Amino acid sequence: MGVNYSTRHCFAFISIFLLLAGVTTLIVWLVYRPSKPSFHVIGAAIYDVNTTSSYVVSTTMQFTLVAHNPNKRSAAYIDRLSAYISYREEVITAPAPLPPMFLEREGTVIMSPMLGGEPVPVSPNVPGGLVTDEAYGVVALRVVLLGRLRWKAGAFRSGHYGMFAKCDVLIGLKKGHVGEVPILGSPDCSVDV
């Protein structure tokens, strides 16, 4: 009978402890409620678009992106960050590793990664599509950022979450142009965490 009584007390103690831990976690989450960072493309430069082969594309591009942390109470760390460019759902630059990023509370970071430079195998419709779009003067590209995100609020640190940001950008590009190109529209990025 004594064993059964102590077992019930132990079970009650553990249940109350877990309930209090859950309530505390919920309160901390409600107070700090981290939201995902936002990204915007504010500049673009094209240095090379080589479409001479039917199955390989070589490009060198630079996009200027603004990362913003909208949280008032928690900072954001993004590590294992990499970026690449895709055209018509196909990757046209190799993923480029980027340095880790720290976003203060309500902080902003500007980055301008240089992407490409190496030949990338593609399907036969990509080089032809790029040539056609260049002749028309408008090229639709997607800048993709991948990384691991975690939040820090005071002494609390979250676990790591996978982050995927995609920025659909329309650029004005004519064949033979090198350097900065106009961005058509206001490209905000969608971010999944």
Side-chain angles (χ1 to χ4, degrees):
M1 192 135 207
V3 172
N4 192 9
Y5 180 73
S6 65
T7 303
R8 275 189 276 165
H9 274 189
C10 184
F11 180 72
F13 173 76
I14 291 172
S15 297
I16 290 171
F17 176 76
L18 290 175
L19 179 66
L20 289 174
V23 168
T24 302
T25 303
L26 178 63
I27 290 171
V28 168
W29 182 82
L30 288 173
V31 168
Y32 290 105
R33 195 180 317 200
S35 56
K36 55 191 171 186
S38 63
F39 293 88
H40 308 281
V41 177
I42 61 169
I46 309 298
Y47 299 107
D48 178 38
V49 178
N50 186 346
T51 56
T52 55
S53 170
S54 299
Y55 297 99
V56 175
V57 170
S58 174
T59 61
T60 304
M61 303 179 180
Q62 184 173 27
F63 286 88
T64 303
L65 296 111
V66 175
H68 177 70
N69 180 10
N71 295 302
K72 294 180 182 179
R73 294 188 173 109
S74 56
Y77 293 97
I78 304 172
D79 59 0
R80 294 189 185 171
L81 192 58
S82 64
Y84 64 86
I85 306 294
S86 68
Y87 171 77
R88 294 187 180 180
E89 304 296 328
E90 285 201 50
V91 176
I92 61 170
T93 65
L98 302 175
M101 182 187 310
F102 175 68
L103 291 165
E104 301 266 345
R105 296 175 204 146
E106 295 185 308
T108 300
V109 172
I110 298 175
M111 60 181 158
S112 293
M114 186 71 74
L115 304 171
E118 302 171 12
V120 175
V122 293
S123 65
N125 66 340
V126 170
L130 278 169
V131 168
T132 302
D133 288 352
E134 278 183 296
Y136 184 66
V138 177
V139 179
L141 298 172
R142 176 175 285 168
V143 181
V144 178
L145 296 166
L146 301 168
R148 291 188 331 160
L149 171 68
R150 64 187 164 114
W151 289 278
K152 180 183 183 289
F156 299 104
R157 290 177 189 246
S158 73
H160 287 93
Y161 297 91
M163 186 202 73
F164 175 78
K166 60 181 180 179
C167 311
D168 291 322
V169 181
L170 283 176
I171 59 170
L173 178 63
K174 291 287 188 181
K175 182 148 182 72
H177 178 80
V178 174
E180 287 191 36
V181 292
I183 296 176
L184 309 173
S186 174
D188 289 340
C189 306
S190 67
V191 180
D192 292 323
V193 176

